[in-house]
Amino acid sequence: MNPSQEKNGAVRKIIHVDMDAFYAAVEQRDHPEWRGKPVIVGGRPSGRGVVSTASYEARVFGVHSAMPTSQAYRLCPHGIFVPARFEAYKEASAIIRNVFYEYTDLVEPLSLDEAYLDVSKNHTQNPSATLIAREIKQKIYERTKLTASAGVGPNKFVAKVASDMDKPDGLTVIPPESMEHFLEELDIKKFYGVGKATLRKMQGLGIQCGADLKKWDLFELVQIFGKSGQYYYRMARGLDTRPVQSHRIRKSYGKERTFREDISEREYILRFIEGLSATISEGMRTIPAAGKTITLKLRYDNFETISRSLSLSHHTNDASEISLVTQELLKGTEFGERPVRLLGISLSNLDINEEDQAQQLQLSLDK
């Protein structure tokens, strides 16, 4: 069976909708005087927080999510820094999700601001996924005054990549007969699931685009990239049969360690976070998976346990990004002042790229 087809032989029609700079766009909508200006949602520039979302006007100056707000301020001192208002974002997200359900019950939310839709069969009996995607974008704007970008393809991988091709307010359609050429021409940086470290490794092997990746056989890719090699092999060929899961189970992936002795040294803890972030990144790439919410768990010597979390505007499994965000979250604790007994890092709001990874993924390094 062709990977773009359902069991009955019909071609699947998948839409991936991704809101444009969602948190920042909500702020600009609710504060008309901020429209057209660089808006940065996250911590205070004088504090220890990180950027959650940056408007497109701020991105011109190099500001991006997961960046320390102090660094964002240096890059864009005239930016408008605002704290996150999650109730406002949830309200807008609920309106957007209702639009999706007008067309299909097969909606798989990935976070507040993005979702997959399977419109192969839909409530409007419209045979054109392209027209449905255009209508969805229009209704979202009419009801929320927010723009969305959409990708249409024969499977989830292609639809997700397509939604990022023409941001903001874009619509990219990859029909089944164009999928092979599209993937062969696609810059390897655009392949969803290829992080910074993997990108460097691939480029070192002369893999610059999908056609280059396609030249490598399955055995070679698994030898080089481990289990992730299977994923790269399949995606280079558009072999993605994952269904849109309308009842998606919340997933997380994390590791934690109880130290043999309570730790007070700041440098030791920072080095430990770097190593733990690398281990988590490697594990997530093996699945492969990426998460939007990073959570730090800390237990002091008196067994008091605290947690600090940050939701990004994108999925990540990059070790350096996980480490950076965790270290920023750590600044909101009393580490270095109070001995630490346990430290853990987890990522949630996952996008899982394998069908068999449906259960909670929580590993422990307790000793």
Side-chain angles (χ1 to χ4, degrees):
M1 184 177 69
N2 186 297
S4 302
Q5 295 178 333
E6 298 177 310
K7 292 180 180 179
N8 62 7
V11 174
R12 293 200 298 159
K13 300 171 184 178
I14 310 298
I15 301 173
H16 180 259
V17 179
D18 191 10
M19 300 303 295
D20 301 318
F22 184 51
Y23 296 174
V26 171
E27 299 300 338
Q28 290 177 316
R29 178 199 66 182
D30 294 349
H31 301 86
E33 68 275 16
W34 294 350
R35 294 174 188 170
K37 297 180 180 179
V39 173
I40 301 161
V41 179
R44 294 173 299 171
S46 58
R48 297 172 172 178
V50 297
V51 175
S52 181
T53 309
S55 71
Y56 288 95
E57 295 86 355
R59 296 180 191 186
V60 173
F61 297 93
V63 179
H64 58 77
S65 60
M67 172 183 288
T69 48
S70 57
Q71 182 182 353
Y73 181 76
R74 289 193 295 271
L75 292 171
C76 188
H78 59 289
I80 300 168
F81 290 79
V82 297
R85 294 185 301 132
F86 286 105
E87 288 307 312
Y89 311 147
K90 289 177 183 177
E91 181 181 348
S93 180
I95 296 171
I96 293 163
R97 202 160 294 177
N98 285 335
V99 172
F100 299 157
Y101 286 119
E102 291 179 15
Y103 291 88
T104 178
D105 292 330
L106 292 178
V107 177
E108 181 181 329
L110 298 176
S111 59
L112 290 178
D113 61 341
E114 65 173 316
Y116 290 112
L117 294 77
D118 188 334
V119 296
S120 306
K121 296 177 181 178
N122 58 81
H123 301 323
T124 61
Q125 307 300 315
N126 190 336
S128 173
T130 303
L131 292 179
I132 290 175
R134 189 170 290 130
E135 288 179 12
I136 287 173
K137 281 168 48 66
Q138 181 63 31
K139 286 185 179 180
I140 288 174
Y141 184 77
E142 289 173 353
R143 298 179 192 181
T144 68
K145 301 305 177 186
L146 301 170
T147 64
S149 293
V152 179
N155 59 52
K156 291 168 76 172
F157 176 77
V158 171
K160 185 170 181 69
V161 172
S163 69
D164 197 44
M165 299 299 291
D166 189 28
K167 275 186 161 287
D169 198 20
L171 172 59
T172 301
V173 180
I174 310 298
E177 61 272 17
S178 302
M179 180 180 70
E180 182 177 3
H181 177 73
F182 170 74
L183 293 174
E184 288 178 348
E185 295 291 314
L186 188 66
D187 191 311
I188 203 66
K189 290 183 292 188
K190 296 286 187 179
F191 270 73
Y192 181 66
V194 175
K196 294 177 182 178
T198 302
L199 176 62
R200 289 193 295 270
K201 197 170 187 178
M202 285 188 173
Q203 290 176 334
L205 295 169
I207 301 174
Q208 303 292 340
C209 62
D212 296 331
L213 180 59
K214 201 173 178 181
K215 293 175 184 176
W216 294 72
D217 64 34
L218 177 59
F219 179 77
E220 292 171 323
L221 290 175
V222 171
Q223 270 197 322
I224 297 169
F225 299 104
K227 189 177 179 182
S228 294
Q230 300 177 24
Y231 170 74
Y232 301 137
Y233 178 87
R234 291 176 61 82
M235 294 309 104
R237 292 160 176 78
L239 302 173
D240 185 4
T241 57
R242 293 173 299 154
V244 171
Q245 298 174 317
S246 56
H247 299 289
R248 187 177 178 86
I249 301 172
R250 182 179 176 89
K251 308 176 185 74
S252 67
Y253 183 97
K255 292 179 180 288
E256 62 184 36
R257 172 170 291 174
T258 300
F259 300 111
R260 289 191 179 93
E261 298 180 359
D262 298 338
I263 304 298
S264 299
E265 294 83 358
R266 297 170 65 93
E267 287 304 316
Y268 180 93
I269 292 176
L270 293 174
R271 288 196 304 271
F272 176 77
I273 285 175
E274 290 180 359
L276 189 60
S277 297
T279 302
I280 291 172
S281 173
E282 182 179 356
M284 295 188 76
R285 292 176 190 279
T286 299
I287 293 170
K292 272 195 170 183
T293 301
I294 299 175
T295 299
L296 164 70
K297 177 181 177 182
L298 209 64
R299 181 172 296 153
Y300 298 117
D301 59 335
N302 66 349
F303 288 89
E304 177 189 354
T305 303
I306 64 168
S307 63
R308 300 286 185 270
S309 298
L310 176 76
S311 293
L312 306 175
S313 61
H314 62 281
H315 289 92
T316 186
N317 56 16
D318 182 74
S320 59
E321 189 167 28
I322 296 170
S323 177
L324 173 64
V325 172
T326 303
Q327 290 184 43
E328 289 299 321
L329 292 172
L330 194 64
K331 293 177 182 178
T333 71
E334 297 177 83
F335 99 103
E337 300 173 15
R338 298 175 61 183
V340 173
R341 176 182 177 83
L342 173 148
L343 190 148
I345 303 171
S346 64
L347 277 77
S348 56
N349 286 331
L350 300 190
D351 187 10
I352 302 290
N353 289 316
E354 296 255 331
E355 293 179 39
D356 59 353
Q357 301 296 329
Q359 302 300 318
Q360 176 83 2
L361 298 167
Q362 179 66 47
L363 305 180
S364 175
L365 284 178
D366 284 355
K367 292 187 176 180

